[in-house]
Amino acid sequence: MSIKVSALRVGRSKDVPLAAAVYGLAGDETVDIHMFMFVIEAEGTRVVVDTGTLSPDYVRQHHPYDFVRAGGESPETVLRECGVEPDDVDFVVNTHLHWDHCSNNALFRNARVLVNRRELEYAVHPLPVHERAYEKLPGLQAPWMSAWDRIEAISGEQRLCPGVTVVPLPGHTPGSQGVLVEADGGRYLLAGDAIGVYENWNPDDWRKSVAPTIHTNLFECYDTFEYVAALDCEVIPSHDHRILDSALFRHSVAL
């Protein structure tokens, strides 16, 4: 089966405490949190998983992060460097509706935008502590809403094409989801923020994995870890630059 997956970097938040990604972690270690869009090309079907952020100025205005983007890391640039025109994308999968995963949905004018039903419901009316993450702020319309007319609410597992399946991964948010890719070289899970960095995941024993610091249900986080372990796949975290060492991206364009 011919499947190509590319990891396209579209900026990073500098010097974020690792404790912001790994629940209960002590210490003052900091990391850069990298923003990726993933492009899956499978037998004539093109899928984009997560669509990144708006401009660094926009991010710094609305979020407490030192966000930077190199000159060649705009979503349009990295897509075209990868040989993909936004209008030719068939599906956009938002792993969840936090600001850094869905802000460029409108770029893909012909795509069906797939969001978990629970996620959609929560994003419209989150708890106050999560309002900034969903950009439910006074005078601001969350950018993902600009593609409202093309959003499809889904539940559970959904096969998009041979070798590409959306799977539910709740816990980080009520409707977090990922994409399972079954290629000739193995099985891989684009995990979204259910597993945001490698420190969240223990491939030898899911019980020793550590939930993301931001979560809506800790029990669901660990149910998701058990579910992921049963998938028998390599996990690809959403924000960790070390994913580029994975065999999954041996043909990728990574800027």
Side-chain angles (χ1 to χ4, degrees):
M1 183 183 303
S2 176
I3 296 181
K4 176 185 175 183
V5 184
S6 301
L8 310 180
R9 187 157 36 210
V10 289
R12 60 192 170 97
S13 292
K14 297 167 56 180
D15 300 323
V16 177
L18 185 58
V22 184
Y23 183 57
L25 185 70
D28 55 4
E29 181 181 356
T30 63
V31 295
D32 285 357
I33 296 295
H34 294 256
M35 310 299 177
F36 288 100
M37 297 193 323
F38 298 95
V39 176
I40 305 169
E41 299 172 82
E43 303 293 339
T45 300
R46 286 180 166 175
V47 181
V48 169
V49 181
D50 289 336
T51 63
T53 75
L54 296 184
S55 70
D57 287 343
Y58 175 92
V59 173
R60 288 193 291 266
Q61 180 181 356
H62 297 291
H63 301 282
Y65 296 101
D66 184 8
F67 181 76
V68 297
R69 174 179 284 159
E73 290 183 344
S74 73
E76 296 92 336
T77 299
V78 295
L79 284 164
R80 289 180 176 129
E81 288 287 335
C82 187
V84 173
E85 289 293 328
D87 285 354
D88 294 336
V89 170
D90 301 288
F91 297 97
V92 165
V93 178
N94 292 139
T95 61
H96 58 299
L97 291 177
H98 283 175
W99 62 276
D100 53 329
H101 291 260
C102 59
S103 287
N104 292 291
N105 286 2
L107 181 63
F108 304 95
R109 297 180 298 180
N110 298 318
R112 299 163 59 187
V113 181
L114 307 183
V115 181
N116 183 276
R117 183 177 299 278
R118 289 180 65 199
E119 186 70 7
L120 194 59
E121 292 170 350
Y122 188 66
V124 171
H125 190 61
L127 290 169
V129 71
H130 295 140
E131 286 179 343
R132 185 165 298 277
Y134 285 103
E135 296 192 326
K136 186 178 174 63
L137 300 172
L140 182 67
Q141 177 177 284
W144 63 267
M145 288 187 171
S146 61
W148 179 264
D149 60 320
R150 290 181 287 107
I151 288 176
E152 299 180 18
I154 65 173
S155 300
E157 298 183 3
Q158 181 160 321
R159 186 172 183 258
L160 303 186
C161 62
V164 182
T165 304
V166 181
V167 296
L169 305 174
H172 172 63
T173 66
S176 285
Q177 58 188 7
V179 177
L180 181 66
V181 178
E182 300 175 85
D184 291 338
R187 291 161 57 90
Y188 302 88
L189 178 67
L190 305 178
D193 283 3
I195 300 170
V197 293
Y198 280 111
E199 284 81 359
N200 293 124
W201 179 241
N202 187 315
D204 299 318
D205 185 352
W206 66 265
R207 297 168 186 82
K208 296 180 180 178
S209 298
V210 183
T213 299
I214 298 172
H215 55 262
T216 55
N217 189 309
L218 191 59
F219 293 98
E220 285 189 337
C221 287
Y222 282 88
D223 288 343
T224 284
F225 289 151
E226 184 176 15
Y227 172 82
V228 170
L231 292 176
D232 189 25
C233 61
E234 179 183 334
V235 168
I236 307 296
S238 59
H239 288 302
D240 198 314
H241 72 281
R242 293 170 290 182
I243 66 172
L244 298 175
D245 294 329
S246 170
L248 178 61
F249 304 119
R250 60 185 177 274
H251 301 303
S252 295
V253 177
L255 303 178

